[in-house]
Amino acid sequence: MAAWHSSASKLNVSPSSAPVCILLIFSFLVALHRFAGGRLRSRLGSRLPLPPGPKPLPIIGNAADVPTTMMAQRFKEMTDKHGEVVYLNALGQPMIILGSHEAALELLDKRTANYSDRQPSAMRELAGWEWTFVLMPYGLPWRRRRKELHQFFHPNAILQHQPLQQREALKFLKNVIEKPDTFSHQVRHSFASTIMRIAYGIKVIDEKDPYVEAIEAGSAAFTEAFVPGAFLVDTFPILRHIPGWFPGAEFKQKAAAWKKIAHNMRDAPFEMTMESLVKGTAERSIATTIIEKARRKECSDISAEKIIARDVSALAYAAGADTTISTVQTFFLAMTCYPEVQAKARAELDTVVGSTRLPTFEDRGSLPYITAVAKESIRWQSVAPLGIPHRSLEDDEFRGYFIPKGSAVIANLYAFSRDPRVYPDPETFDPERFLKDGKINPDVQDPSTFAFGYGRRICPGRHFAEASLFIIIASVLHTLTIDYAVDDGGKLIIPEVKMTDGVLSYPLPFPCSIKPRSPEHIQLVHTGLAQPD
């Protein structure tokens, strides 16, 4: 009965109430039907064993084994015990947990045609995220949006964004120098400002810009709405039809609130850009480029193209920005806890860049230690610990095991980042693990090979995200000193290294001291900002 109590708690109701009992009985019957159907194995499945995993219970299977908190850590414990490919069956839903990068690479990358789908999600539509291709099923709508995003974020395309990225880094430095206690907010504001300019041609000036606030609210809603297993309606989609007043239907009220937030994030800045386009004052952006290209094609359906432009512009934020925001916050945490790393990075910057200018993208190849700091910031704390589950389109065989059609395939990125075979002493922040003879060691696995996903579902904004991360880290270390905060008694405050629990993970708020290295470094920032935009 523990699994049923768990399910009831996800509905935010007491399992003792009569209406909920009705729901649970109904769920039980649906699970029984799904379980029976799941036993009808294909010819492939009849001659192959399923991957190992915890022993299932009758009817509910492994529902009680699926963790509701710290999922990545608990799944890692499973793969450590049972092997790097683990099978669960939760209420009839087959799940494959991948505990190694090699297994994920083989399935999700090399067999991407079979593993590019997403699990059906009732919350996707209920919470207003039907437009985001991150959750879209594999098909033409997804491919079209992916294609449009790629043209703006492939390695050559992002070069045009470098001047804007460098300028936003300067604004970030200025804001942190003036208000160091707000550095975490400034990180998010900086990236939101950058992406608003690229996606919509909108210049963000005020810190309380409504469009930036809309993006921040949307990101927070997404993180809360799509925690795996958080809502029973994703397991039993028929529950979406129960009325909002029905006991146990609180998820519908939450979803309705999230839908307004998600659609406002998608629509408000786009509508502003379309108004500017009509007036002839719009700056070139992702949105205007797609619309103008459609207008040049006589056969184009402009209304359909507007939907594509609207969706792709909003998706641009998710195509690397949220990942980078968390990683930059993690970088500040690491620099607070590892002053010796900061000292080595600063020595490299002083040698290569000097004291009369700020680092630029042209310095990237000459700053291997800074590059290593960026890689270790990605690895040290996982931004998306479990990624977004893939879905198998057909039955498959892997290492002698049967992978059923319709399986949710979860790549445990957290486990990959903690693999001691690849990253010895994984809990320690150590950029030198990526270096050999003063250069980046190509024999050490780059965490970017798994942190941004796999196959056709790999994040299209990864190159932009890595470029943003480099210029922020280089700029911060060249101009600022990050140190432990001090309490009223003069004692150092050692921050706790802990991340939030969710689809996207961020460092919990932590105290630190941030000061400019010298008045001369402050002047470098102001001189840079004085240049024409």
Side-chain angles (χ1 to χ4, degrees):
M1 291 301 294
W4 296 121
H5 281 257
S6 174
S7 297
S9 69
K10 293 172 185 178
L11 279 166
N12 300 311
V13 296
S14 167
S16 63
S17 65
V20 172
C21 286
I22 294 172
L23 285 178
L24 294 182
I25 291 170
F26 175 77
S27 299
F28 176 87
L29 293 174
V30 174
L32 179 62
H33 174 75
R34 289 172 63 177
F35 179 79
R39 297 183 65 86
L40 299 176
R41 301 269 293 274
S42 68
R43 182 177 301 176
L44 174 65
S46 66
R47 60 182 175 83
L48 292 174
L50 291 163
K55 185 177 180 179
L57 296 172
I59 307 302
I60 67 170
N62 298 111
D65 296 310
V66 178
T68 56
T69 60
M70 299 182 69
M71 294 185 77
Q73 291 86 338
R74 300 291 85 82
F75 281 147
K76 182 179 184 300
E77 291 170 4
M78 276 186 207
T79 52
D80 287 346
K81 178 179 179 180
H82 297 285
E84 57 190 74
V85 182
V86 165
Y87 176 80
L88 301 171
N89 188 308
L91 299 173
Q93 171 60 59
M95 300 172 65
I96 304 294
I97 314 300
L98 303 178
S100 74
H101 172 61
E102 292 81 6
L105 201 63
E106 178 65 32
L107 281 183
L108 307 182
D109 221 43
K110 295 181 180 179
R111 307 186 194 183
T112 188
N114 192 43
Y115 293 95
S116 291
D117 202 18
R118 292 294 196 213
Q119 287 295 109
S121 169
M123 284 299 289
R124 175 174 161 258
E125 293 185 9
L126 290 173
W129 293 96
E130 71 286 348
W131 52 273
T132 175
F133 90 133
V134 174
L135 301 173
M136 263 184 195
Y138 185 72
L140 184 59
W142 177 85
R143 290 197 297 270
R144 174 64 198 282
R145 285 158 177 79
R146 170 79 185 196
K147 180 182 177 182
E148 293 292 350
L149 267 175
H150 177 74
Q151 69 170 307
F152 297 106
F153 289 107
H154 63 74
N156 290 330
I158 65 168
L159 297 178
Q160 65 182 306
H161 303 315
Q162 288 184 352
L164 176 61
Q165 288 172 302
Q166 290 189 185
R167 186 163 189 84
E168 288 298 332
L170 285 172
K171 292 180 181 178
F172 172 73
L173 293 175
K174 175 180 177 292
N175 291 336
V176 171
I177 289 170
E178 293 176 351
K179 293 175 284 187
D181 291 342
T182 67
F183 79 92
S184 187
H185 165 73
Q186 298 302 338
V187 170
R188 183 170 289 278
H189 184 271
S190 175
F191 284 102
S193 179
T194 302
I195 208 65
M196 287 297 295
R197 189 80 176 270
I198 292 171
Y200 302 104
I202 296 175
K203 293 183 180 180
V204 173
I205 300 174
D206 191 340
E207 278 197 33
K208 294 189 177 296
D209 183 275
Y211 302 122
V212 172
E213 291 183 340
I215 287 175
E216 292 183 354
S219 298
F222 181 91
T223 299
E224 189 174 354
F226 296 104
V227 174
F231 296 97
L232 197 59
V233 69
D234 271 337
T235 303
F236 303 108
I238 198 169
L239 295 179
R240 67 185 298 171
H241 299 297
I242 65 176
W245 51 263
F246 196 80
E250 286 84 354
F251 72 90
K252 299 193 80 171
Q253 299 167 19
K254 288 186 175 183
W258 287 333
K259 188 170 188 176
K260 292 179 181 178
I261 292 171
H263 283 189
N264 183 56
M265 169 187 172
R266 179 194 67 184
D267 298 341
F270 181 75
E271 290 169 1
M272 175 68 175
T273 299
M274 291 301 98
E275 290 176 8
S276 299
L277 193 61
V278 170
K279 296 176 183 177
T281 59
E283 184 177 304
R284 184 173 177 80
S285 64
I286 290 175
T288 60
T289 299
I290 295 174
I291 293 296
E292 289 170 352
K293 185 171 67 174
R295 286 176 176 173
R296 290 194 293 269
K297 297 179 181 178
E298 294 182 3
C299 60
S300 294
D301 180 349
I302 293 298
S303 61
E305 292 301 311
K306 279 188 176 180
I307 292 175
I308 296 292
R310 178 200 68 188
D311 293 357
V312 170
S313 301
L315 289 169
Y317 183 82
D322 248 344
T323 302
T324 317
I325 289 167
S326 175
T327 305
V328 171
Q329 292 174 350
T330 293
F331 156 74
F332 271 86
L333 176 59
M335 293 305 98
T336 304
C337 298
Y338 294 86
E340 68 279 8
V341 171
Q342 194 174 168
K344 291 179 182 178
R346 188 170 294 116
E348 181 181 71
L349 285 160
D350 288 346
T351 299
V352 174
V353 178
S355 60
T356 60
R357 66 179 181 89
L358 293 170
T360 67
F361 283 103
E362 285 70 31
D363 298 312
R364 198 172 182 179
S366 303
L367 295 170
Y369 195 85
I370 297 298
T371 301
V373 169
K375 292 181 185 298
E376 184 69 338
S377 296
I378 293 172
R379 183 208 67 83
W380 190 47
Q381 302 297 330
S382 300
V383 175
L386 297 173
I388 303 291
H390 292 234
R391 180 175 182 267
S392 57
L393 291 167
E394 300 294 341
D395 289 344
D396 198 7
E397 176 184 358
F398 181 61
R399 298 183 182 177
Y401 294 118
F402 174 57
I403 308 296
K405 174 183 178 179
S407 293
V409 183
I410 298 174
N412 190 349
L413 310 185
Y414 168 85
F416 306 169
S417 74
R418 294 294 182 274
D419 188 339
R421 300 172 304 162
V422 183
Y423 307 115
D425 191 15
E427 298 302 327
T428 299
F429 188 92
D430 181 15
E432 294 193 30
R433 69 174 79 245
F434 297 105
L435 298 170
K436 183 178 181 180
D437 300 327
K439 297 179 181 179
I440 295 295
N441 184 357
D443 295 329
V444 177
Q445 183 177 295
D446 188 333
S448 294
T449 59
F450 58 81
F452 293 102
Y454 291 89
R456 295 171 188 171
R457 290 289 182 168
I458 194 169
C459 174
R462 62 194 182 280
H463 303 297
F464 178 83
E466 288 182 286
S468 296
L469 184 60
F470 165 79
I471 200 63
I472 283 286
I473 286 177
S475 300
V476 165
L477 289 173
H478 194 57
T479 58
L480 305 176
T481 297
I482 306 167
D483 205 346
Y484 294 114
V486 179
D487 64 19
D488 293 338
K491 186 178 179 180
L492 297 179
I493 303 174
I494 309 300
E496 182 181 12
V497 178
K498 191 171 183 180
M499 304 290 282
T500 60
D501 199 13
V503 178
L504 298 176
S505 187
Y506 300 88
L508 289 176
F510 61 93
C512 65
S513 168
I514 304 173
K515 297 177 181 178
R517 289 181 65 187
S518 71
E520 289 74 22
H521 286 93
I522 297 177
Q523 187 57 47
L524 285 177
V525 174
H526 288 293
T527 300
L529 286 172
Q531 301 300 317
D533 189 348

